Amino acid sequence: AQSVTQPDIHITVSEGASLELRCNYSYGATPYLFWYVQSPGQGLQLLLKYFSGDTLVQGIKGFEAEFKRSQSSFNLRKPSVHWSDAAEYFCAVDSSNTGKLIFGQGTTLQVKP
Amino acid sequence: KAGVTQTPRYLIKTRGQQVTLSCSPISGHRSVSWYQQTPGQGLQFLFEYFSETQRNKGNFPGRFSGRQFSNSRSEMNVSTLELGDSALYLCASSFGDRAVTGELFFGEGSRLTVL
């Protein structure tokens, strides 16, 4: 069965520091991969997605993610974090283009001033 | 353009009751998906509808049901509520024929508390 693992439940970074959130998936072929962000009391907003092609994907709000097939990873990065980036981040996979997303458990990002 | 609208935003029910949640997708979107979010289980897929047909269903008991109307609005129903049904229920809509090939736009959710 497909699965998504976000190893870090909680991460704290200083404002202006770089950020990397880890995501590993379990699936035999290349899945469709997503990163979503959820602010408190809000729904989810898509940051970026990977279907095929260039393995480095640019998203909104200055985020990017790199697909590494050999490591079954899709890590999210941002060079300089802003206080407004504090939120919960979810990695998700759709293995067969069914519209059924399997989410990781999420990583809560705290930003120190 | 209005986003995905979910009603009600908050509700409290008691065990054994039933509840109906409503979702109005973005105008022109024909695919609607539902997800349950809890602290323990995280985000779990409930079902997906396209053109009034259920195309996918998650691993939930039959107490959870849904439907989609001709105007793409969707409802989900949970009967015989249990304490464990307390959760944030998120609806997402998509323009495309396959929900995943387009972007999923999520509503703010309906927070259900079962006492």
Side-chain angles (χ1 to χ4, degrees):
Chain A
Q2 301 90 34
S3 66
V4 178
T5 302
Q6 294 180 245
D8 304 306
I9 296 174
H10 192 105
I11 282 184
T12 300
V13 300
S14 298
E15 189 168 16
S18 63
L19 171 70
E20 182 169 32
L21 303 182
R22 296 182 292 164
C23 173
N24 293 96
Y25 65 91
S26 172
Y27 183 64
T30 301
Y32 299 102
L33 295 159
F34 307 82
W35 274 99
Y36 282 86
V37 61
Q38 184 178 35
S39 297
Q42 303 295 311
L44 281 73
Q45 181 182 24
L46 179 68
L47 287 175
L48 45 79
K49 60 188 177 185
Y50 174 77
F51 288 170
S52 64
D54 192 348
T55 56
L56 185 62
V57 180
Q58 300 297 320
I60 62 171
K61 303 184 180 186
F63 286 92
E64 67 177 26
E66 185 171 13
F67 169 63
K68 292 186 177 180
R69 184 192 306 275
S70 61
Q71 299 176 19
S72 296
S73 69
F74 189 57
N75 295 347
L76 181 72
R77 301 194 295 248
K78 186 170 185 178
S80 178
V81 169
H82 188 261
W83 64 266
S84 60
D85 294 323
E88 190 161 17
Y89 292 80
F90 293 93
C91 181
V93 61
D94 182 307
S95 59
S96 51
N97 190 17
T98 61
K100 173 183 175 181
L101 291 182
I102 298 170
F103 286 88
Q105 287 292 81
T107 298
T108 300
L109 172 65
Q110 182 179 359
V111 181
K112 292 190 303 184
Chain B
K1 189 183 255 189
V4 177
T5 303
Q6 292 188 244
T7 56
R9 289 292 313 279
Y10 303 91
L11 65 165
I12 300 174
K13 294 285 188 178
T14 57
R15 281 179 296 176
Q17 287 186 311
Q18 74 165 11
V19 66
T20 299
L21 308 178
S22 179
C23 173
S24 293
I26 292 173
S27 178
H29 286 195
R30 297 167 63 192
S31 172
V32 173
S33 304
W34 289 89
Y35 289 82
Q36 181 196 63
Q37 185 176 23
T38 60
Q41 298 298 315
L43 282 153
Q44 293 185 288
F45 173 80
L46 280 158
F47 20 67
E48 184 220 350
Y49 289 88
F50 181 80
S51 292
E52 302 179 66
T53 300
Q54 186 182 89
R55 289 198 301 196
N56 269 301
K57 190 177 191 304
N59 189 25
F60 278 81
R63 300 185 297 107
F64 292 80
S65 63
R67 59 179 175 170
Q68 186 181 32
F69 302 95
S70 58
N71 61 358
S72 294
R73 190 178 69 86
S74 177
E75 289 181 346
M76 66 163 284
N77 183 276
V78 187
S79 62
T80 318
L81 285 165
E82 301 176 359
L83 294 179
D85 298 332
S86 294
L88 180 66
Y89 290 89
L90 292 165
C91 170
S93 75
S94 176
F95 174 78
D97 177 32
R98 303 305 296 181
V100 73
T101 54
E103 176 178 343
L104 279 182
F105 291 84
F106 282 83
E108 294 184 324
S110 292
R111 183 165 295 282
L112 170 65
T113 301
V114 181
L115 302 176

PDB file of all heavy atoms in Angstrom, chain B residues 3-34:
ATOM      1  N   GLY B   3     -14.360  30.920  -3.131  1.00  0.00           N
ATOM      2  CA  GLY B   3     -13.664  29.660  -2.911  1.00  0.00           C
ATOM      3  C   GLY B   3     -14.631  28.558  -2.565  1.00  0.00           C
ATOM      4  O   GLY B   3     -15.851  28.692  -2.715  1.00  0.00           O
ATOM      5  N   VAL B   4     -14.086  27.466  -2.061  1.00  0.00           N
ATOM      6  CA  VAL B   4     -14.915  26.342  -1.631  1.00  0.00           C
ATOM      7  C   VAL B   4     -15.573  26.722  -0.313  1.00  0.00           C
ATOM      8  O   VAL B   4     -14.891  27.148   0.625  1.00  0.00           O
ATOM      9  CB  VAL B   4     -14.052  25.079  -1.452  1.00  0.00           C
ATOM     10  CG1 VAL B   4     -14.902  23.930  -0.925  1.00  0.00           C
ATOM     11  CG2 VAL B   4     -13.380  24.707  -2.773  1.00  0.00           C
ATOM     12  N   THR B   5     -16.870  26.575  -0.263  1.00  0.00           N
ATOM     13  CA  THR B   5     -17.631  26.973   0.922  1.00  0.00           C
ATOM     14  C   THR B   5     -18.188  25.747   1.619  1.00  0.00           C
ATOM     15  O   THR B   5     -18.885  24.933   0.992  1.00  0.00           O
ATOM     16  CB  THR B   5     -18.791  27.906   0.542  1.00  0.00           C
ATOM     17  OG1 THR B   5     -18.266  29.041  -0.157  1.00  0.00           O
ATOM     18  CG2 THR B   5     -19.510  28.385   1.785  1.00  0.00           C
ATOM     19  N   GLN B   6     -17.894  25.645   2.902  1.00  0.00           N
ATOM     20  CA  GLN B   6     -18.398  24.526   3.682  1.00  0.00           C
ATOM     21  C   GLN B   6     -19.282  25.054   4.801  1.00  0.00           C
ATOM     22  O   GLN B   6     -18.944  26.017   5.482  1.00  0.00           O
ATOM     23  CB  GLN B   6     -17.245  23.713   4.281  1.00  0.00           C
ATOM     24  CG  GLN B   6     -16.420  22.983   3.246  1.00  0.00           C
ATOM     25  CD  GLN B   6     -15.427  22.045   3.894  1.00  0.00           C
ATOM     26  OE1 GLN B   6     -14.205  22.218   3.778  1.00  0.00           O
ATOM     27  NE2 GLN B   6     -15.938  21.019   4.562  1.00  0.00           N
ATOM     28  N   THR B   7     -20.411  24.380   4.972  1.00  0.00           N
ATOM     29  CA  THR B   7     -21.309  24.744   6.057  1.00  0.00           C
ATOM     30  C   THR B   7     -21.830  23.490   6.732  1.00  0.00           C
ATOM     31  O   THR B   7     -21.981  22.437   6.082  1.00  0.00           O
ATOM     32  CB  THR B   7     -22.511  25.559   5.542  1.00  0.00           C
ATOM     33  OG1 THR B   7     -23.189  24.809   4.526  1.00  0.00           O
ATOM     34  CG2 THR B   7     -22.078  26.896   4.996  1.00  0.00           C
ATOM     35  N   PRO B   8     -22.067  23.542   8.054  1.00  0.00           N
ATOM     36  CA  PRO B   8     -21.675  24.641   8.929  1.00  0.00           C
ATOM     37  C   PRO B   8     -20.182  24.590   9.242  1.00  0.00           C
ATOM     38  O   PRO B   8     -19.525  23.593   8.964  1.00  0.00           O
ATOM     39  CB  PRO B   8     -22.513  24.362  10.184  1.00  0.00           C
ATOM     40  CG  PRO B   8     -22.639  22.870  10.216  1.00  0.00           C
ATOM     41  CD  PRO B   8     -22.726  22.436   8.768  1.00  0.00           C
ATOM     42  N   ARG B   9     -19.629  25.630   9.782  1.00  0.00           N
ATOM     43  CA  ARG B   9     -18.207  25.625  10.131  1.00  0.00           C
ATOM     44  C   ARG B   9     -17.958  24.866  11.427  1.00  0.00           C
ATOM     45  O   ARG B   9     -16.923  24.224  11.590  1.00  0.00           O
ATOM     46  CB  ARG B   9     -17.703  27.059  10.286  1.00  0.00           C
ATOM     47  CG  ARG B   9     -17.583  27.844   8.994  1.00  0.00           C
ATOM     48  CD  ARG B   9     -16.462  27.298   8.094  1.00  0.00           C
ATOM     49  NE  ARG B   9     -15.209  27.062   8.793  1.00  0.00           N
ATOM     50  CZ  ARG B   9     -14.316  28.001   9.073  1.00  0.00           C
ATOM     51  NH1 ARG B   9     -14.554  29.258   8.726  1.00  0.00           N
ATOM     52  NH2 ARG B   9     -13.182  27.696   9.718  1.00  0.00           N
ATOM     53  N   TYR B  10     -18.871  24.973  12.335  1.00  0.00           N
ATOM     54  CA  TYR B  10     -18.738  24.287  13.621  1.00  0.00           C
ATOM     55  C   TYR B  10     -20.081  23.672  14.002  1.00  0.00           C
ATOM     56  O   TYR B  10     -21.127  24.283  13.750  1.00  0.00           O
ATOM     57  CB  TYR B  10     -18.302  25.255  14.730  1.00  0.00           C
ATOM     58  CG  TYR B  10     -17.013  25.975  14.436  1.00  0.00           C
ATOM     59  CD1 TYR B  10     -17.019  27.197  13.782  1.00  0.00           C
ATOM     60  CD2 TYR B  10     -15.793  25.431  14.821  1.00  0.00           C
ATOM     61  CE1 TYR B  10     -15.834  27.864  13.513  1.00  0.00           C
ATOM     62  CE2 TYR B  10     -14.605  26.088  14.558  1.00  0.00           C
ATOM     63  CZ  TYR B  10     -14.633  27.304  13.897  1.00  0.00           C
ATOM     64  OH  TYR B  10     -13.453  27.956  13.630  1.00  0.00           O
ATOM     65  N   LEU B  11     -20.034  22.501  14.587  1.00  0.00           N
ATOM     66  CA  LEU B  11     -21.257  21.914  15.098  1.00  0.00           C
ATOM     67  C   LEU B  11     -20.934  20.896  16.178  1.00  0.00           C
ATOM     68  O   LEU B  11     -19.866  20.275  16.167  1.00  0.00           O
ATOM     69  CB  LEU B  11     -22.095  21.294  13.977  1.00  0.00           C
ATOM     70  CG  LEU B  11     -21.594  20.115  13.206  1.00  0.00           C
ATOM     71  CD1 LEU B  11     -22.766  19.512  12.442  1.00  0.00           C
ATOM     72  CD2 LEU B  11     -20.472  20.448  12.246  1.00  0.00           C
ATOM     73  N   ILE B  12     -21.883  20.778  17.071  1.00  0.00           N
ATOM     74  CA  ILE B  12     -21.759  19.841  18.190  1.00  0.00           C
ATOM     75  C   ILE B  12     -22.948  18.899  18.152  1.00  0.00           C
ATOM     76  O   ILE B  12     -24.097  19.353  18.042  1.00  0.00           O
ATOM     77  CB  ILE B  12     -21.708  20.586  19.543  1.00  0.00           C
ATOM     78  CG1 ILE B  12     -20.509  21.530  19.576  1.00  0.00           C
ATOM     79  CG2 ILE B  12     -21.649  19.590  20.708  1.00  0.00           C
ATOM     80  CD1 ILE B  12     -20.461  22.415  20.811  1.00  0.00           C
ATOM     81  N   LYS B  13     -22.652  17.617  18.216  1.00  0.00           N
ATOM     82  CA  LYS B  13     -23.691  16.588  18.209  1.00  0.00           C
ATOM     83  C   LYS B  13     -23.427  15.630  19.372  1.00  0.00           C
ATOM     84  O   LYS B  13     -22.343  15.626  19.973  1.00  0.00           O
ATOM     85  CB  LYS B  13     -23.676  15.821  16.889  1.00  0.00           C
ATOM     86  CG  LYS B  13     -24.059  16.659  15.677  1.00  0.00           C
ATOM     87  CD  LYS B  13     -25.538  16.921  15.637  1.00  0.00           C
ATOM     88  CE  LYS B  13     -25.964  17.580  14.349  1.00  0.00           C
ATOM     89  NZ  LYS B  13     -27.434  17.799  14.306  1.00  0.00           N
ATOM     90  N   THR B  14     -24.408  14.817  19.649  1.00  0.00           N
ATOM     91  CA  THR B  14     -24.230  13.782  20.661  1.00  0.00           C
ATOM     92  C   THR B  14     -24.197  12.415  20.001  1.00  0.00           C
ATOM     93  O   THR B  14     -24.657  12.243  18.855  1.00  0.00           O
ATOM     94  CB  THR B  14     -25.353  13.826  21.712  1.00  0.00           C
ATOM     95  OG1 THR B  14     -26.609  13.701  21.038  1.00  0.00           O
ATOM     96  CG2 THR B  14     -25.325  15.132  22.484  1.00  0.00           C
ATOM     97  N   ARG B  15     -23.622  11.472  20.694  1.00  0.00           N
ATOM     98  CA  ARG B  15     -23.511  10.111  20.166  1.00  0.00           C
ATOM     99  C   ARG B  15     -24.867   9.575  19.731  1.00  0.00           C
ATOM    100  O   ARG B  15     -25.881   9.782  20.395  1.00  0.00           O
ATOM    101  CB  ARG B  15     -22.923   9.182  21.218  1.00  0.00           C
ATOM    102  CG  ARG B  15     -21.419   9.283  21.365  1.00  0.00           C
ATOM    103  CD  ARG B  15     -20.918   8.359  22.429  1.00  0.00           C
ATOM    104  NE  ARG B  15     -21.441   8.727  23.763  1.00  0.00           N
ATOM    105  CZ  ARG B  15     -21.226   8.035  24.855  1.00  0.00           C
ATOM    106  NH1 ARG B  15     -20.513   6.918  24.810  1.00  0.00           N
ATOM    107  NH2 ARG B  15     -21.706   8.430  26.003  1.00  0.00           N
ATOM    108  N   GLY B  16     -24.880   8.905  18.616  1.00  0.00           N
ATOM    109  CA  GLY B  16     -26.103   8.325  18.095  1.00  0.00           C
ATOM    110  C   GLY B  16     -26.852   9.215  17.118  1.00  0.00           C
ATOM    111  O   GLY B  16     -27.674   8.721  16.342  1.00  0.00           O
ATOM    112  N   GLN B  17     -26.570  10.504  17.150  1.00  0.00           N
ATOM    113  CA  GLN B  17     -27.227  11.401  16.204  1.00  0.00           C
ATOM    114  C   GLN B  17     -26.597  11.260  14.823  1.00  0.00           C
ATOM    115  O   GLN B  17     -25.613  10.549  14.628  1.00  0.00           O
ATOM    116  CB  GLN B  17     -27.106  12.854  16.684  1.00  0.00           C
ATOM    117  CG  GLN B  17     -27.975  13.196  17.867  1.00  0.00           C
ATOM    118  CD  GLN B  17     -27.922  14.683  18.189  1.00  0.00           C
ATOM    119  OE1 GLN B  17     -26.844  15.288  18.288  1.00  0.00           O
ATOM    120  NE2 GLN B  17     -29.093  15.288  18.365  1.00  0.00           N
ATOM    121  N   GLN B  18     -27.176  11.941  13.864  1.00  0.00           N
ATOM    122  CA  GLN B  18     -26.585  11.981  12.542  1.00  0.00           C
ATOM    123  C   GLN B  18     -26.295  13.441  12.165  1.00  0.00           C
ATOM    124  O   GLN B  18     -26.842  14.364  12.768  1.00  0.00           O
ATOM    125  CB  GLN B  18     -27.504  11.341  11.502  1.00  0.00           C
ATOM    126  CG  GLN B  18     -28.700  12.169  11.115  1.00  0.00           C
ATOM    127  CD  GLN B  18     -29.353  11.656   9.827  1.00  0.00           C
ATOM    128  OE1 GLN B  18     -29.049  10.577   9.339  1.00  0.00           O
ATOM    129  NE2 GLN B  18     -30.250  12.441   9.271  1.00  0.00           N
ATOM    130  N   VAL B  19     -25.439  13.615  11.179  1.00  0.00           N
ATOM    131  CA  VAL B  19     -25.055  14.953  10.776  1.00  0.00           C
ATOM    132  C   VAL B  19     -24.904  15.004   9.260  1.00  0.00           C
ATOM    133  O   VAL B  19     -24.517  14.015   8.627  1.00  0.00           O
ATOM    134  CB  VAL B  19     -23.734  15.378  11.456  1.00  0.00           C
ATOM    135  CG1 VAL B  19     -22.566  14.518  10.967  1.00  0.00           C
ATOM    136  CG2 VAL B  19     -23.450  16.849  11.243  1.00  0.00           C
ATOM    137  N   THR B  20     -25.253  16.144   8.703  1.00  0.00           N
ATOM    138  CA  THR B  20     -25.062  16.385   7.270  1.00  0.00           C
ATOM    139  C   THR B  20     -24.217  17.628   7.096  1.00  0.00           C
ATOM    140  O   THR B  20     -24.518  18.677   7.668  1.00  0.00           O
ATOM    141  CB  THR B  20     -26.407  16.574   6.547  1.00  0.00           C
ATOM    142  OG1 THR B  20     -27.185  15.387   6.689  1.00  0.00           O
ATOM    143  CG2 THR B  20     -26.175  16.858   5.065  1.00  0.00           C
ATOM    144  N   LEU B  21     -23.152  17.494   6.330  1.00  0.00           N
ATOM    145  CA  LEU B  21     -22.253  18.607   6.033  1.00  0.00           C
ATOM    146  C   LEU B  21     -22.370  18.953   4.566  1.00  0.00           C
ATOM    147  O   LEU B  21     -22.519  18.068   3.719  1.00  0.00           O
ATOM    148  CB  LEU B  21     -20.808  18.219   6.368  1.00  0.00           C
ATOM    149  CG  LEU B  21     -20.561  17.649   7.767  1.00  0.00           C
ATOM    150  CD1 LEU B  21     -19.098  17.276   7.932  1.00  0.00           C
ATOM    151  CD2 LEU B  21     -20.992  18.637   8.829  1.00  0.00           C
ATOM    152  N   SER B  22     -22.276  20.238   4.286  1.00  0.00           N
ATOM    153  CA  SER B  22     -22.462  20.691   2.917  1.00  0.00           C
ATOM    154  C   SER B  22     -21.204  21.339   2.360  1.00  0.00           C
ATOM    155  O   SER B  22     -20.438  21.956   3.102  1.00  0.00           O
ATOM    156  CB  SER B  22     -23.620  21.699   2.870  1.00  0.00           C
ATOM    157  OG  SER B  22     -23.821  22.186   1.558  1.00  0.00           O
ATOM    158  N   CYS B  23     -21.027  21.197   1.071  1.00  0.00           N
ATOM    159  CA  CYS B  23     -19.862  21.758   0.390  1.00  0.00           C
ATOM    160  C   CYS B  23     -20.277  22.334  -0.947  1.00  0.00           C
ATOM    161  O   CYS B  23     -20.859  21.627  -1.786  1.00  0.00           O
ATOM    162  CB  CYS B  23     -18.802  20.680   0.181  1.00  0.00           C
ATOM    163  SG  CYS B  23     -17.397  21.196  -0.840  1.00  0.00           S
ATOM    164  N   SER B  24     -19.985  23.601  -1.155  1.00  0.00           N
ATOM    165  CA  SER B  24     -20.215  24.225  -2.456  1.00  0.00           C
ATOM    166  C   SER B  24     -18.862  24.453  -3.117  1.00  0.00           C
ATOM    167  O   SER B  24     -18.048  25.223  -2.594  1.00  0.00           O
ATOM    168  CB  SER B  24     -20.947  25.557  -2.290  1.00  0.00           C
ATOM    169  OG  SER B  24     -22.256  25.347  -1.820  1.00  0.00           O
ATOM    170  N   PRO B  25     -18.611  23.782  -4.227  1.00  0.00           N
ATOM    171  CA  PRO B  25     -17.299  23.916  -4.867  1.00  0.00           C
ATOM    172  C   PRO B  25     -17.165  25.256  -5.573  1.00  0.00           C
ATOM    173  O   PRO B  25     -18.130  26.001  -5.707  1.00  0.00           O
ATOM    174  CB  PRO B  25     -17.293  22.767  -5.877  1.00  0.00           C
ATOM    175  CG  PRO B  25     -18.735  22.587  -6.225  1.00  0.00           C
ATOM    176  CD  PRO B  25     -19.491  22.881  -4.966  1.00  0.00           C
ATOM    177  N   ILE B  26     -15.985  25.534  -6.012  1.00  0.00           N
ATOM    178  CA  ILE B  26     -15.734  26.711  -6.822  1.00  0.00           C
ATOM    179  C   ILE B  26     -16.543  26.592  -8.107  1.00  0.00           C
ATOM    180  O   ILE B  26     -16.652  25.500  -8.689  1.00  0.00           O
ATOM    181  CB  ILE B  26     -14.234  26.841  -7.118  1.00  0.00           C
ATOM    182  CG1 ILE B  26     -13.484  27.168  -5.822  1.00  0.00           C
ATOM    183  CG2 ILE B  26     -13.964  27.906  -8.181  1.00  0.00           C
ATOM    184  CD1 ILE B  26     -11.978  27.149  -5.959  1.00  0.00           C
ATOM    185  N   SER B  27     -17.112  27.701  -8.526  1.00  0.00           N
ATOM    186  CA  SER B  27     -17.935  27.695  -9.723  1.00  0.00           C
ATOM    187  C   SER B  27     -17.177  27.100 -10.913  1.00  0.00           C
ATOM    188  O   SER B  27     -16.043  27.495 -11.205  1.00  0.00           O
ATOM    189  CB  SER B  27     -18.357  29.132 -10.052  1.00  0.00           C
ATOM    190  OG  SER B  27     -19.124  29.170 -11.235  1.00  0.00           O
ATOM    191  N   GLY B  28     -17.797  26.138 -11.564  1.00  0.00           N
ATOM    192  CA  GLY B  28     -17.174  25.490 -12.712  1.00  0.00           C
ATOM    193  C   GLY B  28     -16.444  24.210 -12.367  1.00  0.00           C
ATOM    194  O   GLY B  28     -16.103  23.418 -13.250  1.00  0.00           O
ATOM    195  N   HIS B  29     -16.179  23.987 -11.093  1.00  0.00           N
ATOM    196  CA  HIS B  29     -15.519  22.745 -10.671  1.00  0.00           C
ATOM    197  C   HIS B  29     -16.546  21.621 -10.593  1.00  0.00           C
ATOM    198  O   HIS B  29     -17.630  21.798 -10.054  1.00  0.00           O
ATOM    199  CB  HIS B  29     -14.838  22.923  -9.314  1.00  0.00           C
ATOM    200  CG  HIS B  29     -13.590  23.714  -9.378  1.00  0.00           C
ATOM    201  ND1 HIS B  29     -12.670  23.742  -8.348  1.00  0.00           N
ATOM    202  CD2 HIS B  29     -13.086  24.514 -10.357  1.00  0.00           C
ATOM    203  CE1 HIS B  29     -11.650  24.527  -8.685  1.00  0.00           C
ATOM    204  NE2 HIS B  29     -11.894  25.005  -9.898  1.00  0.00           N
ATOM    205  N   ARG B  30     -16.169  20.463 -11.107  1.00  0.00           N
ATOM    206  CA  ARG B  30     -17.104  19.353 -11.135  1.00  0.00           C
ATOM    207  C   ARG B  30     -16.713  18.191 -10.239  1.00  0.00           C
ATOM    208  O   ARG B  30     -17.483  17.268 -10.039  1.00  0.00           O
ATOM    209  CB  ARG B  30     -17.252  18.861 -12.583  1.00  0.00           C
ATOM    210  CG  ARG B  30     -17.840  19.911 -13.514  1.00  0.00           C
ATOM    211  CD  ARG B  30     -17.688  19.511 -14.966  1.00  0.00           C
ATOM    212  NE  ARG B  30     -18.427  18.296 -15.270  1.00  0.00           N
ATOM    213  CZ  ARG B  30     -18.280  17.606 -16.394  1.00  0.00           C
ATOM    214  NH1 ARG B  30     -17.416  18.001 -17.300  1.00  0.00           N
ATOM    215  NH2 ARG B  30     -18.998  16.525 -16.617  1.00  0.00           N
ATOM    216  N   SER B  31     -15.494  18.241  -9.728  1.00  0.00           N
ATOM    217  CA  SER B  31     -15.026  17.169  -8.848  1.00  0.00           C
ATOM    218  C   SER B  31     -14.996  17.681  -7.416  1.00  0.00           C
ATOM    219  O   SER B  31     -14.497  18.775  -7.145  1.00  0.00           O
ATOM    220  CB  SER B  31     -13.628  16.718  -9.267  1.00  0.00           C
ATOM    221  OG  SER B  31     -13.085  15.823  -8.315  1.00  0.00           O
ATOM    222  N   VAL B  32     -15.543  16.872  -6.508  1.00  0.00           N
ATOM    223  CA  VAL B  32     -15.535  17.220  -5.089  1.00  0.00           C
ATOM    224  C   VAL B  32     -15.023  16.010  -4.298  1.00  0.00           C
ATOM    225  O   VAL B  32     -15.487  14.882  -4.505  1.00  0.00           O
ATOM    226  CB  VAL B  32     -16.943  17.600  -4.593  1.00  0.00           C
ATOM    227  CG1 VAL B  32     -16.940  17.778  -3.079  1.00  0.00           C
ATOM    228  CG2 VAL B  32     -17.424  18.876  -5.276  1.00  0.00           C
ATOM    229  N   SER B  33     -14.076  16.269  -3.424  1.00  0.00           N
ATOM    230  CA  SER B  33     -13.530  15.222  -2.556  1.00  0.00           C
ATOM    231  C   SER B  33     -13.743  15.619  -1.106  1.00  0.00           C
ATOM    232  O   SER B  33     -13.801  16.810  -0.787  1.00  0.00           O
ATOM    233  CB  SER B  33     -12.028  15.037  -2.805  1.00  0.00           C
ATOM    234  OG  SER B  33     -11.753  14.757  -4.149  1.00  0.00           O
ATOM    235  N   TRP B  34     -13.833  14.612  -0.254  1.00  0.00           N
ATOM    236  CA  TRP B  34     -13.973  14.848   1.182  1.00  0.00           C
ATOM    237  C   TRP B  34     -12.844  14.146   1.924  1.00  0.00           C
ATOM    238  O   TRP B  34     -12.472  13.008   1.589  1.00  0.00           O
ATOM    239  CB  TRP B  34     -15.310  14.296   1.679  1.00  0.00           C
ATOM    240  CG  TRP B  34     -16.510  15.070   1.241  1.00  0.00           C
ATOM    241  CD1 TRP B  34     -17.234  14.899   0.095  1.00  0.00           C
ATOM    242  CD2 TRP B  34     -17.149  16.132   1.963  1.00  0.00           C
ATOM    243  NE1 TRP B  34     -18.268  15.795   0.055  1.00  0.00           N
ATOM    244  CE2 TRP B  34     -18.260  16.555   1.198  1.00  0.00           C
ATOM    245  CE3 TRP B  34     -16.905  16.761   3.184  1.00  0.00           C
ATOM    246  CZ2 TRP B  34     -19.101  17.578   1.608  1.00  0.00           C
ATOM    247  CZ3 TRP B  34     -17.752  17.771   3.595  1.00  0.00           C
ATOM    248  CH2 TRP B  34     -18.835  18.169   2.802  1.00  0.00           C
TER     249      TRP B  34
END
